[in-house]
Amino acid sequence: MEFPEDLRYSKEHEWVLVEGNVATVGITDYAQEQLGEIVYVELPEVGEKVSKEDAFGVVESVKTVSDVYAPVSGSVIEVNDDLPDNPEMLNDDPYGDGWMIKIEMSDPEELEDLMTAEEYERYVAELKE
């Protein structure tokens, strides 16, 4: 299981890549593994406002349907348009081609509430116990 060191992580298993004031968001390797084969993805529209910890999308797998939560607040400035037609990209490359949305952050200090790779790896290990 991968825990890229350049990302931040939420307890709801979303990852965040920060570039300037833009946060790229996706679900973690652990999340996609728990969900199993992903068959459907619903994402917000560009321009929508999202608030930290509010659901912004839906991921459906053969096992279950899960909401995806915004790790930071702001405006959606880009959506991975390939994902709804190719939801398996979340399974195949959760930290690359499987990115979901890009958020222009309204409060970058919210990043302080997210976990480092090391902290998230410990968190996942505790969940497995």
Side-chain angles (χ1 to χ4, degrees):
M1 190 169 303
E2 291 183 59
F3 301 93
E5 301 231 344
D6 58 337
L7 305 178
R8 303 289 290 203
Y9 300 88
S10 74
K11 287 189 173 182
E12 291 76 29
H13 308 288
E14 287 86 21
W15 58 262
V16 177
L17 173 65
V18 178
E19 295 170 297
N21 198 36
V22 175
T24 302
V25 177
I27 63 170
T28 65
D29 197 13
Y30 174 79
Q32 69 82 21
E33 189 176 289
Q34 293 299 305
L35 288 165
E37 184 183 344
I38 295 170
V39 295
Y40 175 77
V41 177
E42 183 180 303
L43 299 173
E45 298 288 324
V46 170
E48 281 188 36
K49 302 258 189 240
V50 294
S51 296
K52 181 182 172 189
E53 299 178 355
D54 284 352
F56 72 79
V58 174
V59 174
E60 184 176 336
S61 71
V62 294
K63 290 183 185 174
T64 189
V65 177
S66 295
D67 286 333
V68 184
Y69 299 94
V72 293
S73 303
S75 299
V76 177
I77 59 169
E78 192 174 342
V79 172
N80 186 347
D81 291 328
D82 294 334
L83 212 47
D85 293 333
N86 304 287
E88 69 278 2
M89 290 191 320
L90 284 173
N91 292 118
D92 297 340
D93 194 10
Y95 299 118
D97 290 341
W99 68 274
M100 300 177 86
I101 62 172
K102 293 187 179 187
I103 300 171
E104 186 174 37
M105 295 182 285
S106 59
D107 184 3
E109 290 185 14
E110 291 175 340
L111 293 168
E112 298 302 317
D113 297 334
L114 299 174
M115 292 179 273
T116 64
E118 185 178 319
E119 291 167 335
Y120 182 67
E121 188 170 359
R122 260 197 318 265
Y123 177 69
V124 167
E126 289 171 10
L127 294 175
K128 289 181 172 181
E129 291 177 1

